[in-house]
Every structure is written in C-alpha cells, then in structure tokens.
Amino acid sequence: MQKALLTPELHRYCLEHGVREHLLLRELRLESDKLCNSQMLINPDQGAFMAQLARLMCAKNYLEIGVFTGYSTLWMALAMPNDAKITALDISDKYLQSASTYWQRAGVAEKITTIIAPAAESLRALQQTNAVYDIAFIDANKSEYVEYYEACLRLVRPGGLIIIDNVLMYGQVLDGNPRKNYVKVLQELNDLIYHDERVEVCMLAIGDGMTLARKKDMYEA
C-alpha cells in the first residue's frame, strides 16, 4: 500500500533534510539546469543514494555509462576513496571540459578516466582488458539499455551492483503499445531484470525510476 504521495513539497523536504550536496555539486547542478537538455541530469537525492551505496560497499572501481556534465560522476568520486578508479563513458565530449573543471576543483580528477566513443564499443573494449567493477551506472542511450545491462553483468564482480536510471521514463513504461522504440526497450529490460535469476532486483520510484540489480555470487546462483 502506498503510504504517501510524493508531492513536490514533500520531495523538496526530502532534499532539504536528507541530502548533503557538496557546494561544487550544487554549483554544477545549477549550471547544468540552464541547458536545454537538463532533464538528463540525475536528481540530488539519486546522487546521494548512489554515493551512500558506494560507501557501504567500500567500492573502489566504478563504471559510468553516460556522463553528460559529470554531476553523477562527481557524486561518486567524492564518496569513493583516494585510490578509487572511475571509468566514465560518453559518446560526446561536448560537456567534458566543464565536467573536468569541476572534477579538478573538487580534487577528484585523478580518479577519473573518460572514454569518448559509442558505449557499446567501449564496453566491448573494456571486456577485452578483463576490467572488473564494483558498481556500474547506466544512464545513456535508452535504446541500447539491454546491451548495456548484459555487458555490465560481465564487467561487474559477483556481489557487485548495476544501477539503471530512467526505468520508468516519465510513466511511459505503462503504455500498452508505445510508439517510441526506447520505451519498448525499457519495458523489455524491466521484464528481463525482474525474471533474471543472475541478479537480485530492487526498482525504486526515485527520480525517473532507478533499478538496482545486484549480481549474485556463485553460491547464490
């Protein structure tokens, strides 16, 4: 049973009482909000949630698919230890200079390696290097989410976590016959993960919907 309707006022209360947003994170978010495609940015509560998961897991290796202005990257970089390694994939370097400036100002740039190329291509290359990650975050081309998920399952360690953003797509996943292909892909992915015995799943109505898929250890499979 739904206990409370998350009104804008309640969401604002959650942000004011439950999120400690670093001053540079806030500055970057406000700058990103001025962009015409600012809806691509995660919410502060999502960033705080992901950062808390990284701390709880003592994560040292993080893979991000879809960087945009580097806001989610900065959340994770600030939460992870000095010897952490972050691999950030994006198809464009349009916002990379601005993102890098904030990473430098926050003193976390040394943790972050960016790869500019189509994500599917970058993921194949990472698999060939036998890279292993504690956490992977998917927030890029929705039409390729199934491929990204399968690639992350190969790249994330047993017991590791795959976080997927926009799994509700502004409620469009409820459409019986969606016209947009990426909505169909999200519906397919949500069904796939729910029935996937390789992972433990939790879908949350945070932001535009966020799924946590924990890769099972061998003894759990």
Side-chain angles (χ1 to χ4, degrees):
M1 181 175 68
Q2 185 174 349
K3 303 223 173 179
L5 179 64
L6 188 62
T7 63
E9 292 76 19
L10 271 177
H11 185 232
R12 189 179 308 113
Y13 180 89
C14 291
L15 295 178
E16 291 173 351
H17 291 80
V19 176
R20 295 175 180 171
E21 189 180 32
H22 190 286
L23 287 176
L24 284 174
L25 279 166
R26 183 177 185 275
E27 185 179 331
L28 175 54
R29 174 173 57 83
L30 293 176
E31 182 178 321
S32 302
D33 281 345
K34 299 173 184 176
L35 301 171
C36 62
N37 51 353
S38 61
Q39 77 281 356
M40 293 170 58
L41 207 67
I42 64 168
N43 289 343
D45 48 352
Q46 290 179 283
F49 179 61
M50 290 170 56
Q52 194 77 313
L53 290 173
R55 295 187 192 98
L56 289 169
M57 293 177 63
C58 301
K60 288 191 174 183
N61 291 282
Y62 167 63
L63 172 64
E64 184 167 279
I65 306 171
V67 180
F68 189 36
T69 60
Y71 180 72
S72 52
T73 325
L74 184 53
W75 265 109
M76 297 298 272
L78 288 168
M80 295 169 70
N82 290 334
D83 59 346
K85 296 185 184 303
I86 293 174
T87 305
L89 312 182
D90 207 291
I91 196 170
S92 170
D93 62 358
K94 181 176 181 179
Y95 304 104
L96 185 57
Q97 183 174 350
S98 176
S100 297
T101 298
Y102 279 93
W103 300 340
Q104 290 282 354
R105 290 174 61 193
V108 298
E110 295 300 317
K111 302 178 186 179
I112 304 168
T113 299
T114 56
I115 302 175
I116 305 301
E121 174 186 313
S122 299
L123 291 167
R124 285 192 295 269
L126 288 172
Q127 290 173 58
Q128 293 175 359
T129 67
N130 297 315
V132 179
Y133 297 94
D134 301 304
I135 301 175
F137 178 46
I138 301 174
D139 188 17
N141 183 357
K142 315 309 173 193
S143 297
E144 297 186 3
Y145 260 31
V146 173
E147 289 82 357
Y148 298 163
Y149 171 70
E150 291 293 345
C152 287
L153 267 177
R154 292 187 286 272
L155 287 163
V156 168
R157 63 168 172 80
L161 191 64
I162 302 171
I163 306 173
I164 308 165
D165 194 27
N166 301 113
V167 295
L168 299 181
M169 191 46 65
Y170 307 103
Q172 294 178 63
V173 291
L174 294 179
D175 293 350
N177 186 26
R179 296 181 179 180
K180 298 173 182 175
N181 180 65
Y182 64 82
V183 178
K184 294 179 182 178
V185 171
L186 285 168
Q187 292 174 330
E188 177 188 350
L189 176 70
N190 292 340
D191 288 340
L192 168 64
I193 297 176
Y194 180 75
H195 294 97
D196 193 346
E197 292 299 325
R198 297 171 294 178
V199 300
E200 298 289 352
V201 62
C202 175
M203 181 186 287
L204 300 170
I206 178 174
D208 185 31
M210 180 173 273
T211 289
L212 311 180
R214 176 186 171 273
K215 183 177 177 179
K216 291 181 179 179
D217 291 307
M218 291 180 61
Y219 68 86
E220 296 177 289

